[in-house]
Amino acid sequence: MAKPSSSDSRLFHRCARQRYDEAKVLFEAERNTGAVYLAGYSIECILKSLILAASPPVKRTGIIKTFRGVKAHDYDWLRSYYLKKGGAQFPRDVTRHFASVNVWSTELRYLPREVRAHEAQEFLKSALAILRWGEGRL
């Protein structure tokens, strides 16, 4: 796996990897809601890393400022922004994985029920596929 050339992109990539690793620990401890939340956050971070990697250095500070608010947690918005910056089209299998994780939102922070184990397992599987694809694009 290549390291992103941009330090900003590297930061978001590192966060994506760390959040996914933490999600696995939570899943193994049967803390499924937290696992899904962090795995979803890892997807958000890899998309932001891709956006920054595809952007000219002079624009990156301004782009990072757009990573605030509700839209910055929206996979569809992030995917569109990545494509707008000249990013590669999403392969069919990655698009399918996005469809299965599109239930994610920051509202999971306030969900008092536990996500079912098989749902969490599938979510983490899709998150890993997206993360690996993203890393291959960096």
Side-chain angles (χ1 to χ4, degrees):
M1 155 184 53
K3 271 185 161 182
S5 60
S6 150
S7 62
D8 296 317
S9 183
R10 278 195 306 273
L11 172 71
F12 280 94
H13 172 247
R14 251 188 354 261
C15 287
R17 255 294 150 196
Q18 288 175 354
R19 296 304 80 82
Y20 184 80
D21 290 346
E22 292 163 353
K24 287 191 315 186
V25 169
L26 286 172
F27 179 73
E28 290 165 7
E30 298 179 9
R31 306 306 296 184
N32 300 329
T33 302
V36 167
Y37 178 74
L38 286 178
Y41 193 57
S42 76
I43 295 168
E44 178 184 324
C45 288
I46 197 66
L47 287 169
K48 291 175 178 178
S49 179
L50 287 165
I51 290 166
L52 291 166
S55 301
V58 69
K59 302 273 187 181
R60 289 183 187 139
T61 300
I63 290 169
I64 290 171
K65 289 178 182 176
T66 69
F67 292 166
R68 305 232 187 321
V70 175
K71 70 180 180 184
H73 303 294
D74 182 327
Y75 295 158
D76 290 333
W77 182 80
L78 290 166
R79 290 173 64 196
S80 294
Y81 198 24
Y82 171 62
L83 293 172
K84 179 181 162 189
K85 292 294 173 190
Q89 289 292 322
F90 294 85
R92 187 174 295 150
D93 63 319
V94 173
T95 299
R96 204 169 46 251
H97 285 295
F98 268 109
S100 70
V101 298
N102 218 22
V103 298
W104 184 85
S105 98
T106 56
E107 296 299 312
L108 279 172
R109 295 178 288 196
Y110 311 111
L111 185 64
R113 75 165 184 84
E114 197 63 26
V115 172
R116 292 185 179 114
H118 72 277
E119 293 169 341
Q121 184 174 31
E122 287 303 309
F123 192 99
L124 267 68
K125 179 181 165 186
S126 287
L128 181 59
I130 293 166
L131 184 59
R132 286 182 174 159
W133 174 82
E135 289 174 335
R137 302 294 315 159
L138 293 173

